[in-house]
Amino acid sequence: MKKQLYFILLFALTFITLSAQRDTEHWFAPFSAANLSPTAKQAVYLSTDSTTPFTVTIYNNGIVLGTSTISKGNPQVYDINAADMIGSTGTDLFTVGSKGLYLKGTKPFFATFRFVVPAHGEILTSKGKAGIGKKFYAVVAPITNSSSGMNFTTGILATEDNTTVTVSGYSPAVVFTNGVTGAASPTLTFTLDKGKSYIIEGRGNQSGNQTGFIGAKIISDKPVSITNGNFLGEYNIGTGLTGGDIVMDQSVPIDRLGKEFVIVKGFGNIAAKTEDVLVVATEDNTQIFVNDNPISVATINEGQHYRVNEPNNTNYIDQGSGHYNMYVRTSKNAYVYQLLAGTATSSATIGFNYIPPLNCLLPRKIDEIGMIEMLPQASNNIKLNILTEKGAAVTYSINGGAPITPTATQGPYDVSGTLDWESYSITGVTGNVAIISTKAVTAGIAGGSGVVGYGGYFAGFSSVPAISKTGECVPGAVLETGDSFESYQWFLGNTPIPGANTYTYTPMQPGNYTVQVGMGGCFATTPIFIVESCYEQTTKSLIICEAQKTIIPKFTNHTVPVILSTVQIDVPPTKGTATIDAVTGIITYTPNSGFSGTDMMVYHFCANPATGVGCEQVTMTLIVDPNPVVKNVSIRACYIQGQPTKAMFNLETSGFTTQTGMIKKYYATLADLSSGINEINPIDYISSNTTVYVKVINSNGCFSIAEITLNVLPPVNSTVLSDKIICVENKATLDAGSGFDGYEWNTGETTQTINAGIGTYWVNLKTGECFTRQNVKVIPAVQPVISNLEIKNNTITVTVIGGTPPYKYSLDGINWQDSNFFENLPRGENSIYVKDFYNCEPIDVTVTVPNLLNAITPNGDNKNDYIDYSELAYKKNLVFNIYDRYGNKVHQANQYNAYRWDGTMYGKKIPTATYWYEITWTEPNKAQTQIKYSGWVLVKNIE
């Protein structure tokens, strides 16, 4: 018998936020074909409700296969090579391969992979982001035909690199196509990179494969997409086998499942049980309820399955005019698949349809299902099944035409077991279809002809709202979700965006965006939608030391100028304020008063497009660490002994700051500080009066400069302490004066005054904390010296030098006079005494007053014939001279003439007259006193 082609169209679409099938990204995992005809044809069908055309890019293994531009009313078909999706040889199975598709658009769109081979056909309807996840249970149709041409298949496609996948939970009786049994290999583990895939297959001629792979657990550490079913399957019960058909659908992860389902019968024969429902549990003790029966028809555990019509064939209820539907409810989330057929007479037109759970968040419209009746090689008869909340007003349109209200025979029809939902069936639908309801709505199709049958559901993944965008990045991107919900709240990260309460939002910064939508008291939140920046992103940090900081925007990696009018602050700081100078483009940041810590702001700027450089967005970390608090100080230190203009200072303890943990650098001049040269040692710094500078630096390099004025405390000397002159036999009183805080004499005494003999002394005079050492001497008085004695006859005039006048004179050392003149001295030896101001022991000189002759008569009578001073010959430097009245020397007596004169000159007698004489010598005493005698003598020469 000729096989009929039953092509299942799985158009599982939902509206933009809730309709997971209508999405910006779609993945199609590959599958295996036991026998693939070279005449097979396959394509992706693309449609959207966007009136603005946009491009969809189709990838295989990260490589662009092509692009297609779509818009509302303008769906497109893009042909796919079988080798990019279908594994047809043993080398394609149980190994990491590159089969599978990834589609990406800038706006949400529907995508189905439709394929036909001779007498067989199928459709995979992408669930968009709702179809990827980390935990699945494989669902394939039971195999009742034990032919080797029958199979089960599951394909796994990675959406991220380094994805580890583990498959387990299948029966030990399973025999895979590669000969490995479930008993020998209870788990399959493999690692996939993004775009890579892995295909599993078992043939129908192994009894363990008839139901052994249903409910196999698939776990991955990163999101994957799953295609499961049978490339050729047959599940008849109680009727003859007619050849089978392709039975396949895209799965969803367990977090997209639900507990309440309505199934509307396709074109198949209920009696032949080609119209049925397959339930697979994800948790133990899952109860299954059918229609209005309050008693569960079965309880199954994790991974187990239940075929609703296998025990009996009365579960589809005719609600009138041949409109059959069924209500299934589970106690825990479960997979529900519809087994259906394209004709009432053959099991070769069977199909597989994932049934989405019911939810009050389902959209109010489905727009649009493109080319609803088409397969790559033919068109087919379509039954459009619509599910809505009870009491909804429903219309549909074809190819953008006027709304059409269903007839009474088309619905609505009740659903036994629920008062909340009702169903419609409309046959003969073609073209591009849109459905509008006043309440939640979902729609499925059953298609078929003599050789083909297929089906699918649109909308129904209300737990996974979706976001689309116009534009590639911010600025310029616009985010959009469905416009059929009652409430909206957009979020950036976990923070609600104030005022963002419509179905569109224009983001001002990149980040992770979600939107929570609400309908009739139900709420759901979209998956995270990552918005990237159009700008060249840079990250910088800036240390803020001052009360204000200016930031000059400039490109990090380019030398082109910034267009000043483009400078904008995208994210203002929270710990301060930032303003832009409209003329210069300079940003001024002012931290809040008293704030210290880390702030952040984001700003951007652009170049002239003609330069080829775009924009740059800077995420600036602002490290606010105010300049250290310092003050100018003045310090004093005691002078250094011997250097009265200098002192030793400790700059570190001068008190210029109270902040700890600072770095301090000291300089003698501001020029050195500015250049960072010639640092000085702050401890034991020797200086005269001056000002030095300290740079106080915190851990972030912020600094302040303080001035330290250095004051040398000069020596404070006593104004009364002075050297003393005393006689050697006496002591002096040394008085350091009053007003000092203490005294330390080198004698060990600590009094203001001390008595001291001749010598050198010092005293430390304390003023405050400083000591001034003052030296003082006790000097012996200098004795006067009798330098000259002038004797005239019996008078003596005393000449004194040295000592300290006034002098006192005496002949006996007892009686003293102020005059240096003595008269009436006796002839012979006389003592002359002298003392000075200090009244010390007097000095004395003994002097001889010779017998002076006043007349000689040199006549030879031996009486007064000559003057004779030979008795003075022992005197030092004795000189005896005779002068006439005119001052002419007439004789000089010396040792050669025995210090005598006989009244002659050169041997001749001189005239009788009066002559003057002068006798000098040096007394042989310590003072070498000069003695001078003078007088006159009468010379009578008798002729």
Side-chain angles (χ1 to χ4, degrees), residues 701-868:
C702 300
F703 68 90
S704 296
I705 298 172
E707 296 180 0
I708 306 175
T709 300
L710 307 181
N711 295 297
V712 178
L713 294 175
V716 179
N717 290 300
S718 169
T719 59
V720 299
L721 182 64
S722 60
D723 292 345
K724 298 293 185 180
I725 301 174
I726 64 172
C727 302
V728 294
E729 67 274 13
N730 293 341
K731 285 193 174 183
T733 298
L734 298 179
D735 185 354
S738 61
F740 295 98
D741 298 325
Y743 307 84
E744 294 179 0
W745 295 89
N746 62 324
T747 63
E749 296 166 279
T750 58
T751 55
Q752 177 180 330
T753 62
I754 63 170
N755 292 319
I758 292 170
T760 300
Y761 301 87
W762 55 258
V763 60
N764 285 333
L765 302 172
K766 185 178 183 183
T767 304
E769 296 300 319
C770 297
F771 289 90
T772 299
R773 177 167 289 189
Q774 189 167 342
N775 295 317
V776 65
K777 293 183 290 185
V778 178
I779 305 168
V782 177
Q783 290 286 64
V785 175
I786 300 173
S787 62
N788 191 43
L789 292 176
E790 186 174 351
I791 304 172
K792 290 183 178 181
N793 294 321
N794 62 346
T795 66
I796 294 179
T797 300
V798 182
T799 301
V800 178
I801 62 175
T804 303
Y807 303 112
K808 296 286 186 181
Y809 305 88
S810 176
L811 294 175
D812 56 10
I814 297 172
N815 299 301
W816 297 90
Q817 64 181 41
D818 293 330
S819 174
N820 66 339
F821 181 78
F822 294 97
E823 59 185 355
N824 300 319
L825 294 177
R827 301 294 178 180
E829 297 236 337
N830 288 273
S831 292
I832 307 298
Y833 296 88
V834 177
K835 60 181 178 180
D836 66 2
F837 169 78
Y838 291 104
N839 197 29
C840 297
E841 256 335 286
I843 61 170
D844 65 278
V845 174
T846 299
V847 62
T848 301
V849 178
N851 185 20
L852 295 175
L853 293 179
N854 294 111
I856 61 170
T857 57
N859 53 11
D861 60 2
N862 294 323
K863 293 181 182 180
N864 299 322
D865 285 335
Y866 51 85
I867 298 175
D868 184 1

Side-chain angles (χ1 to χ4, degrees), residues 72-411:
K72 182 177 173 62
N74 184 34
Q76 296 294 317
V77 178
Y78 187 90
D79 291 337
I80 300 294
N81 291 325
D84 291 329
M85 270 293 290
I86 305 173
S88 58
T89 66
T91 57
D92 295 326
L93 309 179
F94 301 100
T95 186
V96 175
S98 59
K99 299 181 186 300
L101 300 177
Y102 168 59
L103 286 66
K104 181 175 177 62
T106 56
K107 289 180 175 292
F109 61 99
F110 299 120
T112 58
F113 178 77
R114 310 184 192 188
F115 59 100
V116 294
V117 295
H120 304 295
E122 181 59 294
I123 296 178
L124 300 179
T125 306
S126 171
K127 277 71 173 177
K129 297 183 184 71
I132 63 171
K134 299 179 181 180
K135 186 175 182 181
F136 298 77
Y137 288 83
V139 183
V140 300
I143 300 174
T144 58
N145 184 341
S146 60
S147 167
S148 63
M150 302 289 167
N151 77 344
F152 68 79
T153 179
T154 296
I156 302 161
L157 175 66
T159 66
E160 297 182 29
D161 286 343
N162 198 30
T163 300
T164 299
V165 182
T166 300
V167 183
S168 62
Y170 42 83
S171 169
V174 166
V175 180
F176 296 110
T177 305
N178 61 358
V180 175
T181 67
S185 181
T187 62
L188 300 173
T189 301
F190 43 89
T191 300
L192 304 173
D193 284 335
K194 182 177 181 179
K196 296 295 185 180
S197 59
Y198 193 91
I199 303 173
I200 300 170
E201 185 193 60
R203 297 297 176 88
N205 59 345
Q206 300 289 337
S207 60
N209 294 348
Q210 293 177 358
T211 60
F213 200 72
I214 301 175
K217 184 190 300 183
I218 304 170
I219 295 178
S220 61
D221 60 353
K222 296 177 182 178
V224 296
S225 175
I226 303 293
T227 295
N228 50 202
N230 315 73
F231 189 81
L232 188 60
E234 194 166 9
Y235 50 78
N236 293 38
I237 299 176
T239 60
L241 301 175
T242 55
D245 202 351
I246 301 174
V247 181
M248 203 172 298
D249 198 0
Q250 186 180 83
S251 186
V252 296
I254 64 169
D255 55 0
R256 307 305 185 219
L257 302 178
K259 304 174 184 176
E260 189 177 14
F261 311 87
V262 172
I263 304 97
V264 179
K265 186 184 78 68
F267 291 117
N269 187 339
I270 293 177
K273 298 186 179 179
T274 55
E275 294 283 345
D276 206 343
V277 173
L278 184 65
V279 180
V280 175
T282 63
E283 299 181 55
D284 290 345
N285 299 314
T286 298
Q287 294 178 293
I288 301 171
F289 300 87
V290 177
N291 294 323
D292 54 2
N293 187 350
I295 300 174
S296 63
V297 296
T299 300
I300 58 177
N301 292 325
E302 177 190 9
Q304 293 180 343
H305 66 278
Y306 177 75
R307 186 169 172 177
V308 174
N309 282 341
E310 186 170 6
N312 61 75
N313 209 12
T314 60
N315 296 301
Y316 269 114
I317 306 297
D318 185 354
Q319 302 292 348
S321 302
H323 181 91
Y324 288 85
N325 58 33
M326 183 191 307
Y327 175 70
V328 175
R329 181 172 58 86
T330 57
S331 61
K332 298 178 181 180
N333 286 356
Y335 288 94
V336 172
Y337 279 75
Q338 182 182 13
L339 304 174
L340 46 72
T343 66
T345 59
S346 173
S347 62
T349 60
I350 56 176
F352 205 45
N353 190 15
Y354 170 77
I355 302 298
L358 300 174
N359 192 293
C360 60
L361 269 177
L362 291 173
R364 274 40 177 172
K365 66 179 180 179
I366 302 169
D367 189 11
E368 64 180 352
I369 305 171
M371 295 179 278
I372 195 169
E373 81 286 4
M374 294 301 299
L375 292 176
Q377 293 179 341
S379 61
N380 299 274
N381 185 34
I382 293 295
K383 177 192 287 188
L384 176 62
N385 297 321
I386 301 173
L387 299 173
T388 68
E389 287 185 280
K390 197 83 168 180
V394 175
T395 60
Y396 66 97
S397 64
I398 304 295
N399 297 326
I404 302 169
T405 301
T407 65
T409 58
Q410 293 171 333

Side-chain angles (χ1 to χ4, degrees), residues 486-498:
E486 295 174 347
S487 66
Y488 303 86
Q489 176 59 63
W490 290 86
F491 290 79
L492 175 57
N494 295 321
T495 303
I497 302 171

Side-chain angles (χ1 to χ4, degrees), residues 640 647-653 680-687:
I640 298 173
M648 183 179 292
F649 298 90
N650 187 341
L651 307 180
E652 284 194 340
T653 60
I680 60 176
N681 181 9
I683 302 175
D684 300 336
Y685 178 65
I686 296 176
S687 173

Side-chain angles (χ1 to χ4, degrees), residues 412-628:
Y413 293 97
D414 291 337
V415 178
S416 299
T418 175
L419 300 177
D420 298 326
W421 297 88
E422 54 192 10
S423 62
Y424 297 78
S425 286
I426 304 169
T427 59
V429 180
T430 61
N432 306 320
V433 177
I435 303 164
I436 300 174
S437 173
T438 58
K439 294 187 178 183
V441 65
T442 183
I445 60 171
S449 67
V451 294
V452 144
Y454 56 92
Y457 265 84
F458 303 86
F461 298 93
S462 57
S463 61
V464 191
I467 296 174
S468 67
K469 75 178 187 305
T470 300
E472 290 299 320
C473 45
V474 293
V478 177
L479 302 183
E480 182 180 349
T481 188
D483 59 359
S484 300
F485 300 101
E486 295 174 347
S487 66
Y488 303 86
Q489 176 59 63
W490 290 86
F491 290 79
L492 175 57
N494 295 321
T495 303
I497 302 171
N501 305 117
T502 65
Y503 73 98
T504 62
Y505 176 69
T506 302
M508 299 304 297
Q509 64 187 90
N512 296 340
Y513 286 86
T514 57
V515 59
Q516 183 191 69
V517 297
M519 182 70 76
C522 297
F523 297 91
T525 300
T526 66
I528 292 173
F529 193 94
I530 300 174
V531 177
E532 297 178 346
S533 173
C534 298
Y535 310 124
E536 183 176 353
Q537 296 290 325
T538 56
T539 300
K540 298 181 180 180
S541 63
L542 186 65
I543 296 173
I544 310 298
C545 304
E546 302 82 10
Q548 279 191 338
K549 186 71 173 182
T550 56
I551 302 167
I552 302 175
K554 62 180 180 179
F555 286 96
T556 303
N557 302 313
H558 310 284
T559 58
V560 300
V562 171
I563 303 300
L564 301 180
S565 61
T566 66
V567 179
Q568 292 186 28
I569 296 173
D570 303 320
V571 180
T574 59
K575 304 298 190 301
T577 59
T579 58
I580 301 173
D581 188 305
V583 176
T584 65
I586 294 175
I587 300 171
T588 300
Y589 171 74
T590 306
N592 292 340
S593 177
F595 171 68
S596 177
T598 300
D599 201 356
M600 188 275 289
M601 72 173 175
V602 179
Y603 62 93
H604 77 267
F605 47 86
C606 301
N608 189 321
T611 65
V613 176
C615 303
E616 180 173 337
Q617 186 174 54
V618 180
T619 299
M620 178 72 76
T621 298
L622 303 163
I623 303 169
V624 180
D625 194 358
N627 286 326

